[in-house]
Amino acid sequence: MAKFLIITGVILVIAGVIIHFSPKLPLPGKLPGDIVIDRENFKLYLPITTSILISVIISVIFFLINKAKQ
């Protein structure tokens, strides 16, 4: 139970820091590495960097949840 509370506290602190500095951070979808091709009748959006970032965040969350269960 103690590990769960510590991990929850760390996640809340990280979320608070992200919210505090969010005006200075680039928004997901507007990161460098995201590809946007805008033509007259065609718009292609490939959020490569955003997808990688979300994948890493979800992997870390699942890793922490797995470690907390052990």
Side-chain angles (χ1 to χ4, degrees):
M1 184 67 174
K3 286 183 185 180
F4 176 74
L5 290 174
I6 291 171
I7 291 172
T8 303
V10 169
I11 290 172
L12 287 174
V13 168
I14 291 171
V17 169
I18 290 171
I19 291 170
H20 179 72
F21 291 109
S22 65
K24 298 177 185 176
L25 296 175
L27 296 174
K30 306 268 187 191
L31 296 173
D34 290 344
I35 299 172
V36 178
I37 299 173
D38 197 7
R39 305 282 169 118
E40 291 178 15
N41 297 324
F42 177 75
K43 185 168 186 173
L44 177 67
Y45 178 67
L46 299 171
I48 295 171
T49 307
T50 302
S51 299
I52 293 171
L53 181 66
I54 291 172
S55 175
V56 168
I57 290 171
I58 291 173
S59 295
V60 168
I61 290 171
F62 282 136
F63 175 78
L64 291 174
I65 290 171
N66 191 25
K67 279 292 199 180
K69 288 183 179 180
Q70 292 178 354

